[in-house]
Amino acid sequence: NAGVTQTPKFRVLKTGQSMTLLCAQDMNHEYMYWYRQDPGMGLRLIHYSVGEGTTAKGEVPDGYNVSRLKKQNFLLGLESAAPSQTSVYFCASSYASLLGDTQYFGPGTRLTVL
Amino acid sequence: DAKTTQPTSMDCAEGRAANLPCNHSTISGNEYVYWYRQIHSQGPQYIIHGLKNNETNEMASLIITEDRKSSTLILPHATLRDTAVYYCIVRPRNRDDKIIFGKGTRLHILP
């Protein structure tokens, strides 16, 4: 079990470039999440998905798009990167249960936009 | 806005119990209290969660007040590896809802 994996681990972009961050989980979890974390800040939810083919906005969705075409994958896209999107991005997944749900996090992707 | 209030930072001597408080005065009946921690540069790690009863696992204990408006995470014998940011989160049973992490408590374990 690899758990939650993220690719790439690091990336540097120029303003206006686009890229896609990939999150994969092998735990058959229904729910998946994308967060960003800036220095000295807590995690802020960008978008999330409650199942294959569904997505929803979180706290800070502007400038990002997501897709959940397969249950195990959740993609985060930046169509036109801006310096304000320099951050560490974390993906998480969880299993729906009446006893609550525990989120499992990936190792993060460090993105710098110049 | 975050639904929880935590101290910005705390210190604890190595080997002693670390008690991290969290206020969640607007918690509703179907919301759980979760605790996560984040060690520097790593992804957050689940610690424990509860609804209204006290909970204990191999990592920590969670004490929830009877009115559920506050809780305390207890690390019984803190080690240097427990130095991290600890997040207290309230989470509804209906998971089709946003999750607010807040800024957490930065716990320093002192040798």
Side-chain angles (χ1 to χ4, degrees), chain A residues 31 33 35 37 40-43 45 48 50 57-59 90 96-103 105-107 110, chain B residues 32 34 36 38 41-46 49 87 91-103 106:
Chain A
Y31 291 75
Y33 313 84
Y35 295 89
Q37 187 171 39
M41 302 280 288
L43 291 151
L45 183 65
Y48 63 104
V50 301
K57 294 181 180 180
E59 293 176 80
F90 290 101
S97 163
L98 288 178
L99 298 178
D101 66 308
T102 296
Q103 292 189 39
F105 284 81
R110 282 154 182 75
Chain B
Y32 289 85
Y34 280 81
Y36 286 80
Q38 187 175 23
S41 299
Q42 298 180 21
Q45 176 191 23
Y46 166 81
H49 76 282
Y87 296 98
R91 182 89 170 94
R93 182 175 293 195
N94 172 15
R95 283 161 295 281
D96 296 354
D97 197 0
K98 299 176 185 179
I99 306 160
I100 308 296
F101 261 80
K103 295 187 178 181
R106 186 170 296 276

Side-chain angles (χ1 to χ4, degrees), chain B residues 81-92:
Chain B
R81 285 182 287 186
D82 292 321
T83 293
V85 177
Y86 287 77
Y87 296 98
C88 170
I89 302 157
V90 293
R91 182 89 170 94

Side-chain angles (χ1 to χ4, degrees), chain A residues 4 6-7 9 14 26 37 49-50 79 82 85-86 91 103 105:
Chain A
V4 179
Q6 294 182 230
T7 51
K9 288 185 170 53
K14 294 181 180 178
D26 61 1
Q37 187 171 39
S49 168
V50 301
E79 290 186 348
Q85 294 177 305
T86 293
C91 175
Q103 292 189 39
F105 284 81

